[in-house]
Amino acid sequence: MQNVKSTCPYCGVGCGVSINTDKPSNILVLGDAEHPANLGRLCSKGSALGETLTTASQAQRLTHPEVNGELVTWDHATSAIADKISSSIEEHGRGSVAFYLSGQLLTEDYYVANKLMKGFVGTANVDTNSRLCMASAVAAYKRSFGSDTVPCSYEDIDAAELIILIGSNAAWTHPVLYQRMAAAKHAKPNTKIVLIDPRKTASCDIADLHLAIKPSSDNFLFQGLLKYLVETGSTDEVYIKDHTDGFDEAGLAVNKFDLSTVAERVSLGQSEVLKFFEWFAETKKVVSFYSQGINQSLSGTDKCNAIINCHLATGKIGYEGAGPFSITGQPNAMGGREVGGLSNQLAAHMEFNDEDCDRVQRFWQSPYIASEAGLKAVDLFDAISDGRIKVLWVLATNPAVSLPNSNKVREALALCPTVIVSDVTRTDTSTYADILLPAEEWSEKNGTVTNSERRISRQRKFRDPPGQAKPDWWALSQVAKKLGFERHFNYDNAHQVFIEHCKLSGFENSGSRAFDISGLSGIDKCEYDALSPLQWPINSDYPNGRKRMFEGGEFFTPNKRAKFIFNDAVLAKGVSDESGFTLNTGRLRDQWHTMTRTGQAPSLTAHDDLPIVQINYVDADANHIKSNQLVRLSNEYGDFIGAAKLCDDVKPGELFCAIHWSERFATSSVITSVISSDVDPVSGQPEFKASKVDLDLFGCDNWARVASIHAIKKGNFEYWAQTKTKRGYITLLGTNGAINWRQWSESELESGVHFTQYSDAISGAQTLLAVAQDSIELLVYSQSTVEALPSFSWLSSAFDSDDCQTLSHLLRSENGEQDQQICSCFAVSEKTIKSKMDEGCLSLEALGLSLGCGSKCGSCKPELARLLQNSSTATN
């Protein structure tokens, strides 16, 4: 058995995976029990990695370079890119060129891109999609600590006595760490968990206290906490005196945040707020675990600093089980921060000051060096829109969908004279590309990534790429050579790039910079290939890495003291009082980013087949909205269509939508179309958590849910949404006016198909079955209302069975049944689970033994717990 150890390409947890490649057509991906990040655990997405490597999932792969839609050689493509860059610099200056990178890149790719732009093209107009997820956390760490340094380790989660989840639905966004929290709580029943989130999420399952605060009011809560700590004598005066600056000013500034004021501003009862304050004050080991709910805000940096202030005031940092822990969203967002992937960083945690610029230029021996920060993501695309940027190279990301005000972004891409896209598959962004470069995907790449706890892990190649797909560092180096910089980019492999990166981190460092991995600069290629996971810094002082930072109370500011940061002006900001609903956005359990990978894996698409809009029952009733009806969100920026999911998870006046869908999967499904491009003034990170939108029904005269072997064309339908299944696709279609579904079906299929059709004269419902050679080719259920159609879960299960005899009987089955898949690992639906519960399986353990659900990755456990709780409530 051949096993290759690598790293999962999804979130910032950085889970180790073990890949069995004995059967190339059925690659088995398991959790690596020896990797310290996950200890063998994987979530639903990680567990389905093998499924994303199938031939069907690779249908959209880019395999050859293209220029203006024509297949060309790599030499032709890279020469064309070099010519475009050179011409743009000559005519419009160095600032007319820009790169837009991604936390999906390996560190080696990131390093070469940053070096090429800042040292040789000579501009800092190189930013990354990490700007959208953790830029505020970076800015806050730098303001307080003097460096972008995460102080904690995952082991601190195990040791903590109080874990505060702030703006994080870890159960879905970082499931492996969530399971680690659940295990810690089980092992130490006195451990308390607080969830601070406007929504009731899956993470509530383990929370002792859920503070469902008003959107964007986190700052008030933590300023109030600081005041409480001061007035109750809960601060650590020795730590403050010996290791910090600015406490007196911050303490005076928060005087106005008494308990009643805070409770009113966050829309909670005083007793709830007080309980949280008391728990923080009386608990020694406190980990504040925060993510996009904090970062993605107009005041995200100040919110992060408000959290850090409370840890500094109590000295709850620098020891086991304590610290402010920002969790990154992408597998190598941290690696991008290390190399300088953000436009306001130079390289290796160095800044745009004279000393650092001179240092990096001498190390690179480069002809130029960017001397000032470049354009951040939103500003960068604004510069494309107004014509300042003429050449854009996008690597491993899909900004046409992911950036805010995405309609404007797409207009900018269409206007840009030269758009270069390096990616694995065709995407929404590649539609605008003049030059397309085929990149290697995670299974084909060789390099390193850094996770949220500063742990560097190897990503190892275990299969060959198709066609002429190449590593991104190689493609960038070829262009650099064509620009005349061959001596500086003469890399033969990823190891050589990594060694240079290590050397730069230690160059003239002497402990003045937190990021230092110079201890690895002497390893040979065999040692690089065998490198075990290590946490930086890795140098002569810490040859085996360092688990926890700031243990001695020394920071990376000029005087080695941490700083309290308080911005009174930002507290005047908050959610706008203008009319409309407040829209929150985030991730789903089984999907990732814009679904270019996960959207092709049937086991991952079954849990949520359509873009959804969570709506409170009160608002649904007031607006005459029924469950599963399609609704439209709209504002001055654009619109979005999704299926109504009625619940009490969101409060009245608030909505929630997922970020993943695009026009490649459904009509008007890009949620960033209704999100403004307003940003945090410090970090440049956009606000994704509190947009104002209007809500109304989206209706059609005729609806159909269609199961088919082949993809259904969008055609002239008013609504179209398509989801991958094991045998083919399930497509939801909406149209106005009469339609003959038999004629439409014939146009979709080749000859030789036998049709069986049933129509209900009373309801107007139609069902249609198309069979060819005893195999079901097409199955259509149509109704006048979308909510009357059979569910995706029911229809896909029936279609995947390919049982003609059974399906013929189902033609008269009142248009099927409503159901939803709960467990992705074992394809277990809600109906099946409830049936087992009726038989007496009334615990997670019993359901796991009987059906398997919850027994593998554990991602569905919160939903199982909710079903069990609802059953218990109904019984009582």
Side-chain angles (χ1 to χ4, degrees):
M1 180 180 291
Q2 182 180 357
N3 283 311
V4 176
K5 291 191 174 184
S6 189
T7 309
C8 178
Y10 290 121
C11 76
V13 176
C15 295
V17 292
S18 179
I19 302 108
N20 175 244
T21 60
D22 285 348
K23 296 180 179 179
S25 61
N26 186 25
I27 292 173
L28 181 63
V29 180
L30 300 173
D32 179 3
E34 296 179 352
H35 197 290
N38 60 314
L39 304 173
R41 299 184 185 96
L42 287 180
C43 70
S44 58
K45 294 184 290 292
S47 297
L49 275 169
E51 191 178 340
T52 67
L53 302 175
T54 63
T55 302
S57 296
Q58 301 287 309
Q60 293 293 311
R61 276 301 299 266
L62 293 171
T63 58
H64 293 79
E66 298 177 22
V67 175
N68 298 324
E70 300 291 329
L71 298 182
V72 298
T73 64
W74 269 101
D75 182 66
H76 182 117
T78 52
S79 294
I81 294 171
D83 288 345
K84 293 292 185 182
I85 291 175
S86 296
S87 298
S88 189
I89 291 173
E90 183 176 347
E91 294 178 32
H92 307 288
R94 300 189 180 280
S96 66
V97 181
F99 284 6
Y100 189 61
L101 311 177
S102 165
Q104 302 290 117
L105 292 172
L106 301 188
T107 299
E108 291 77 3
D109 304 322
Y110 250 134
Y111 179 85
V112 176
N114 190 61
K115 175 183 176 181
L116 173 58
M117 280 296 279
K118 291 174 182 168
F120 293 82
V121 173
T123 174
N125 286 341
V126 49
D127 211 38
T128 164
N129 64 4
S130 297
R131 178 72 59 191
L132 310 182
C133 69
M134 53 71 208
S136 293
V138 172
Y141 277 149
K142 290 172 70 173
R143 291 202 300 187
S144 288
F145 303 154
S147 64
D148 173 20
T149 306
V150 179
C152 303
S153 165
Y154 294 163
E155 290 183 18
D156 292 320
I157 294 172
D158 306 331
E161 298 162 345
L162 173 62
I163 300 171
I164 310 168
L165 290 165
I166 315 161
S168 167
N169 181 17
W172 281 14
T173 59
H174 300 92
V176 167
L177 292 184
Y178 173 83
Q179 293 298 333
R180 194 161 183 162
M181 294 174 197
K185 186 173 175 62
H186 179 76
K188 300 181 300 174
N190 290 331
T191 298
K192 294 183 178 68
I193 296 178
V194 175
L195 174 65
I196 302 173
D197 196 311
R199 289 197 304 142
K200 184 191 299 180
T201 68
S203 298
C204 286
D205 183 46
I206 61 170
D208 299 282
L209 177 64
H210 175 207
L211 298 179
I213 62 174
K214 181 180 179 180
S216 273
S217 65
D218 316 73
N219 218 334
F220 295 104
L221 185 67
F222 282 91
Q223 302 299 357
L225 173 57
L226 183 58
K227 174 178 170 57
Y228 176 86
L229 296 171
V230 172
E231 68 183 8
T232 59
S234 302
T235 56
D236 186 332
E237 295 182 8
V238 173
Y239 189 90
I240 292 168
K241 177 178 178 294
D242 291 347
H243 303 296
T244 72
D245 285 330
F247 174 73
D248 290 340
E249 294 86 346
L252 287 172
V254 299
N255 270 339
K256 57 188 173 184
F257 296 105
D258 58 81
L259 181 61
S260 61
T261 299
V262 170
E264 181 181 356
R265 296 303 294 265
V266 302
S267 297
L268 292 175
Q270 292 187 32
S271 60
E272 297 174 275
V273 176
L274 180 60
K275 180 182 289 188
F276 166 56
F277 288 178
E278 290 173 341
W279 285 359
F280 191 102
E282 68 192 22
T283 308
K284 179 175 175 59
K285 295 184 175 181
V286 179
V287 168
S288 293
F289 184 102
Y290 54 101
S291 192
Q292 317 306 17
I294 290 292
N295 298 337
Q296 291 179 331
S297 167
L298 298 182
S299 56
T301 306
D302 289 306
K303 290 176 181 176
C304 292
N305 280 120
I307 295 168
I308 294 169
N309 285 348
C310 294
H311 281 269
L312 292 176
T314 52
K316 292 172 182 175
I317 184 173
Y319 59 83
E320 183 184 59
F325 200 169
S326 163
I327 300 298
T328 54
Q330 297 190 80
N332 202 30
M334 188 74 79
R337 290 148 68 171
E338 294 163 5
V339 305
L342 292 166
S343 63
N344 54 309
Q345 299 173 329
L346 180 55
H349 281 205
M350 285 180 272
E351 306 296 329
F352 288 100
N353 55 55
D354 291 344
E355 185 179 359
D356 283 347
C357 287
D358 174 69
R359 179 181 295 113
V360 173
Q361 185 172 16
R362 284 188 288 108
F363 180 87
W364 282 340
Q365 299 179 30
S366 60
Y368 315 102
I369 195 70
S371 58
E372 60 183 13
L375 296 170
K376 298 169 184 174
V378 170
D379 293 335
L380 189 151
F381 279 83
D382 283 346
I384 298 171
S385 183
D386 64 28
R388 283 175 287 156
I389 288 178
K390 307 293 184 180
V391 178
L392 173 69
W393 192 345
V394 178
L395 292 94
T397 187
N398 195 10
V401 177
S402 58
L403 278 169
N405 199 356
S406 53
N407 287 328
K408 182 180 179 182
V409 170
R410 288 188 285 274
E411 290 171 1
L413 288 167
L415 290 170
C416 189
T418 302
V419 176
I420 306 149
V421 174
S422 297
D423 216 320
V424 173
T425 66
R426 297 186 187 278
T427 67
D428 308 79
T429 302
S430 70
T431 302
Y432 300 93
D434 301 287
I435 301 175
L436 265 176
L437 301 180
E440 291 181 346
E441 69 161 20
W442 77 277
S443 64
E444 302 146 8
K445 300 184 83 165
N446 194 33
T448 57
V449 294
T450 307
N451 73 358
S452 295
E453 61 168 351
R454 296 172 284 103
R455 190 178 299 279
I456 298 171
S457 297
R458 286 283 280 108
Q459 193 160 300
R460 295 181 174 91
K461 173 179 178 177
F462 58 88
R463 65 178 198 157
D464 293 328
Q468 296 179 21
K470 297 289 186 181
D472 290 302
W473 64 261
W474 181 89
L476 289 156
S477 296
Q478 297 306 304
V479 171
K481 291 175 182 178
K482 297 286 177 64
L483 288 168
F485 307 122
E486 182 169 0
R487 180 172 65 88
H488 304 278
F489 291 86
N490 197 24
Y491 306 114
D492 294 323
N493 51 56
H495 164 252
Q496 293 176 348
V497 181
F498 181 75
I499 294 304
E500 185 177 315
H501 169 52
C502 294
K503 289 179 178 178
L504 177 56
S505 74
F507 185 59
E508 298 178 357
N509 192 333
S510 303
S512 59
R513 304 190 300 273
F515 178 66
D516 183 357
I517 55 172
S518 57
L520 297 175
S521 61
I523 63 174
D524 59 29
K525 189 173 183 300
C526 289
E527 291 170 317
Y528 173 73
D529 291 340
L531 187 66
S532 296
L534 287 171
Q535 288 174 279
W536 62 259
I538 307 161
N539 51 29
S540 57
D541 292 331
Y542 300 97
N544 298 313
R546 186 176 182 182
K547 184 181 300 183
R548 194 169 294 106
M549 301 296 287
F550 311 133
E551 290 161 306
E554 286 195 356
F555 297 86
F556 290 91
T557 55
N559 65 1
K560 305 298 183 183
R561 299 166 68 85
K563 290 182 169 58
F564 284 88
I565 303 294
F566 181 83
N567 182 1
D568 192 34
V570 78
L571 292 173
K573 300 178 182 179
V575 177
S576 170
D577 291 329
E578 65 186 274
S579 62
F581 288 84
T582 300
L583 172 66
N584 189 358
T585 66
R587 292 181 181 172
L588 293 178
R589 190 190 75 184
D590 294 347
Q591 291 302 330
W592 174 254
H593 281 201
T594 60
M595 293 167 46
T596 52
R597 182 190 292 123
T598 53
Q600 304 303 319
S603 69
L604 299 178
T605 58
H607 188 259
D608 295 280
D609 63 297
L610 291 175
I612 58 96
V613 181
Q614 284 189 348
I615 306 171
N616 187 274
Y617 294 111
V618 173
D619 293 325
D621 185 58
N623 289 274
H624 311 291
I625 296 170
K626 299 177 184 177
S627 181
N628 297 321
Q629 282 186 315
L630 292 199
V631 297
R632 187 200 308 269
L633 310 183
S634 59
N635 58 21
E636 62 187 290
Y637 307 108
D639 61 5
F640 169 88
I641 298 172
K645 187 172 184 179
L646 311 189
C647 60
D648 60 3
D649 294 346
V650 292
K651 293 179 179 179
E654 299 174 14
L655 305 171
F656 174 82
C657 293
I659 63 172
H660 308 292
W661 273 265
S662 74
E663 297 287 340
R664 299 172 71 85
F665 296 97
T667 301
S668 297
S669 60
V670 181
I671 194 60
T672 50
S673 296
V674 296
I675 295 174
S676 82
S677 51
D678 294 338
V679 300
D680 178 298
V682 179
S683 68
Q685 183 160 357
E687 167 72 80
F688 282 95
K689 301 299 184 181
S691 301
K692 282 295 183 180
V693 295
D694 293 324
L695 169 70
D696 61 274
L697 278 168
F698 174 82
C700 289
D701 296 335
N702 291 285
W703 291 94
R705 187 159 264 138
V706 181
S708 61
I709 296 293
H710 303 292
I712 298 296
K713 305 180 188 74
K714 292 183 180 181
N716 295 319
F717 289 101
E718 276 73 26
Y719 188 79
W720 170 96
Q722 195 159 84
T723 306
K724 190 79 178 69
T725 70
K726 290 180 181 178
R727 285 192 69 230
Y729 301 86
I730 302 292
T731 309
L732 178 64
L733 300 171
T735 184
N736 289 318
I739 182 169
N740 187 314
W741 290 107
R742 170 69 177 266
Q743 290 181 0
W744 172 82
S745 299
E746 289 174 345
S747 71
E748 289 289 324
L749 300 171
E750 297 181 359
S751 59
V753 176
H754 173 71
F755 287 95
T756 303
Q757 188 170 359
Y758 170 74
S759 298
D760 187 325
I762 298 175
S763 68
Q766 298 181 52
T767 55
L768 182 72
L769 178 67
V771 178
Q773 299 179 347
D774 294 328
S775 178
I776 302 163
E777 295 288 312
L778 192 75
L779 181 60
V780 180
Y781 280 91
S782 71
Q783 272 279 14
S784 59
T785 60
V786 67
E787 66 270 21
L789 293 173
S791 67
F792 170 90
S793 181
W794 179 87
L795 185 55
S796 63
S797 178
F799 183 67
D800 287 346
S801 71
D802 197 18
D803 186 340
C804 295
Q805 184 176 0
T806 300
L807 282 171
S808 294
H809 290 298
L810 292 175
L811 283 173
R812 298 175 180 267
S813 66
E814 299 299 323
N815 269 13
E817 303 173 16
Q818 298 300 313
D819 202 359
Q820 181 184 7
Q821 181 165 300
I822 300 297
C823 175
S824 298
C825 295
F826 295 99
V828 184
S829 73
E830 181 175 341
K831 182 180 177 183
T832 302
I833 293 166
K834 287 182 175 179
S835 177
K836 279 296 177 183
M837 288 164 56
D838 290 340
E839 295 174 11
C841 291
L842 297 175
S843 68
L844 290 174
E845 293 75 15
L847 289 172
L849 289 171
S850 178
L851 300 172
C853 52
S855 65
K856 190 178 179 182
C857 78
S859 296
C860 64
K861 281 184 175 180
E863 288 171 275
L864 294 175
R866 183 177 291 195
L867 290 174
L868 289 166
Q869 182 181 12
N870 291 343
S871 174
S872 174
T873 301
T875 302
N876 295 333

